[in-house]
Every structure is written in C-alpha cells, then in structure tokens.
Amino acid sequence: MDNCNPILAPLEEKLKLTKDGSGELMNSTDFKGLVGYIRYLTATRPDIMYAVGLVSRFMKSPRQSHLQDAKRILKYVKGTTSMGIFYSVSEDPKLVGFTDSDWVGDTEGRKSTSGYVFQLGTGFFSWSSENQQVVALSTTEAEYIAARNCATQAVWLRMMLKSLFQEKTTPTTIVCDNKSTI
C-alpha cells in the first residue's frame, strides 16, 4: 500500500456492507491482522472509527469486497497523514459531546448505528460507534437513542473526571443535529 493513490474519504458515500459481500472468501487471519493495524490508528484518528467499525463486523468470514473496503481506509490514511488529534493544555477544558445516528444502517438486521464523540478541551478522547439494540421506527427515534447513549456516557465521564479531581461544574453540552430529537 506504500505506492497507493491517496483518496479523500475512508468509505464510499452511502456504502451498505453485507455479510455476503462480493468476491471469494478470504483468509480471516490475514483480514483480522489488517483490521487490527487499522484499529490501532483510531487512537489518534477518530475520523476513521466508523469505517473501521464497519469493516470489523466481517472478520469472521471476510470477502474480497471487505478487503477492498479495508484497503480504502488505508488509502485515506495515506492521503491525510497530517490529520489527527492534537492534545494541548488548557486551564478549564469544557466537556462537549457530539452525537449522530444513521437510520437502518444495517440493512440485514434493520438496526441503526449510533455514534458519539466527546471533546475535552482541544482533543477528542472518548467515542463509540455501534449498532443500536432495538430497531428504530423513525430517524427521530434512532437519533434519540443515540443522544441517550451519549448522555449516559457524559454522566459516566463526569463521574470519572470528578474521581480524577477534575470535576466539571458547568453543564455538559451535547450536540445533536436532529430538530425533532432536540
């Protein structure tokens, strides 16, 4: 992948991966190794977390198309090596959560994907992207479930910061892009 052409997005727009995929079954050990390497990058590259989580779902029996999607993430990383999280010191860093979901992102189970990320000061330090436990009947419901998961994490993070003598006295802002959910 050293000589690959860099690209500007880790996934194709509106990509829906399925377990059947296309192409032949491939060696799952090799695929797991590749996904493991890419997962390591997510510590400083949350921009690839969703894409990595998506290809991680197929480690049991990966197809050639799943390998191509994993390689696409590497092409994106190659083109964006100057990007990443920069952590700096600040006097009173604010805790802010951002949440979103996609309605029926899993076309097989009809479940939506929830995601959130938390920023403390200048850096992002806690994030999650996972299938929701229930089938949401609308985009509003999917976004509400995602916001609830984010709020639960915010409460836990505030307790953790308090135990580290970094108690937050101001409210934690949670940013959501769905007017009905807000």
Side-chain angles (χ1 to χ4, degrees), residues 5-19:
N5 293 326
I7 57 176
L8 298 176
L11 287 176
E12 293 177 32
E13 187 176 337
K14 299 186 180 188
L15 176 69
K16 302 287 185 188
L17 296 178
T18 62
K19 67 179 178 182

Side-chain angles (χ1 to χ4, degrees), residues 108-168:
E108 292 174 11
R110 307 298 296 167
K111 293 186 178 177
S112 304
T113 303
S114 289
Y116 61 76
V117 62
F118 279 90
Q119 180 180 16
L120 186 64
T122 61
F124 295 93
F125 74 104
S126 175
W127 54 84
S128 173
S129 176
E130 61 186 356
N131 276 350
Q132 294 179 354
Q133 298 295 315
V134 296
V135 176
L137 301 177
S138 67
T139 55
T140 300
E141 185 178 6
E143 293 276 354
Y144 186 79
I145 292 168
R148 183 206 60 202
N149 293 344
C150 184
T152 302
Q153 181 70 3
V155 170
W156 185 84
L157 289 172
R158 289 176 66 92
M159 290 186 328
M160 181 62 69
L161 289 168
K162 183 178 180 180
S163 70
L164 296 171
F165 306 105
Q166 297 294 320
E167 185 173 7
K168 297 293 161 202

Side-chain angles (χ1 to χ4, degrees), residues 24-96:
E24 297 178 17
L25 279 172
M26 57 173 300
N27 184 336
S28 65
T29 304
D30 294 340
F31 186 75
K32 288 176 185 177
L34 174 60
V35 172
Y37 294 136
I38 299 171
R39 270 186 130 17
Y40 180 75
L41 293 174
T42 62
T44 58
R45 297 290 304 264
D47 54 331
I48 64 172
M49 181 58 84
Y50 176 75
V52 174
L54 211 54
V55 298
S56 295
R57 296 177 186 173
F58 307 100
M59 289 199 287
K60 185 175 182 182
S61 55
R63 298 264 180 186
Q64 196 65 35
S65 61
H66 302 134
L67 175 64
Q68 294 307 315
D69 293 322
K71 286 183 175 180
R72 183 179 172 95
I73 297 169
L74 291 175
K75 290 178 183 179
Y76 170 74
V77 169
K78 170 126 180 153
T80 58
T81 55
S82 63
M83 295 176 69
I85 298 176
F86 176 73
Y87 297 99
S88 65
V89 178
S90 60
E91 277 301 309
D92 186 26
K94 294 194 183 316
L95 180 63
V96 181

